[in-house]
Amino acid sequence: MSVKPTARPTVLSLNINSRSALYMAYIPKLKNGGIFIPTSRAYALGDEVFVLLSLMDDPAKLPIVGKVVWITPVDAQNNRPQGIGVHFNADESGLEAKRKIEAILGTALSSSRLSHTL
């Protein structure tokens, strides 16, 4: 019996420079939080990815492991950018990312303004 080797997760880097860009990318509806990452690379639902997330002026990058939960194809409706939605894992790095993002966004989380994810 052969054992299929486990593929290493893809590493993606995302730099978010403003609160409005963070609002557009964050996915609060996911249990552990998540982020939209613009990319033209092909992914499948369930693929594991490793994200290095930079938030505004914070020099520390947040290392987050997550899974692809949706794919926005090229030429999507309403001119939505091509990319993937990544659901943060329920580990310390995912929970820390969710806490930091939600602290930055604060009351904006209850806004009805459209984002890349809704």
Side-chain angles (χ1 to χ4, degrees):
M1 173 169 73
S2 66
V3 176
K4 183 178 176 184
T6 304
R8 292 184 62 200
T10 302
V11 177
L12 296 165
S13 184
L14 181 62
N15 299 313
I16 296 185
N17 298 318
S18 70
R19 191 170 179 241
S20 62
L22 182 59
Y23 175 85
M24 293 296 287
Y26 185 57
I27 311 167
K29 302 280 187 214
L30 296 175
K31 180 180 178 184
N32 305 321
I35 199 92
F36 174 81
I37 302 173
T39 181
S40 58
R41 187 180 287 171
Y43 288 93
L45 293 176
D47 283 355
E48 187 171 83
V49 294
F50 182 79
V51 180
L52 288 172
L53 179 62
S54 297
L55 296 174
M56 277 80 81
D57 297 328
D58 190 344
K61 292 182 187 265
L62 297 172
I64 309 159
V65 177
K67 293 209 182 298
V68 175
V69 293
W70 89 71
I71 299 164
T72 304
V74 68
D75 297 326
Q77 289 181 336
N78 301 322
N79 295 318
R80 293 197 184 278
Q82 180 180 6
I84 57 173
V86 176
H87 186 192
F88 301 154
N89 283 356
D91 58 15
E92 188 53 41
S93 66
L95 297 174
E96 178 66 14
K98 180 179 180 179
R99 279 192 295 268
K100 282 190 174 192
I101 291 168
E102 290 184 354
I104 291 168
L105 292 176
T107 58
L109 286 170
S110 60
S111 172
S112 60
R113 206 174 74 207
L114 291 178
S115 71
H116 294 315
T117 62
L118 297 175

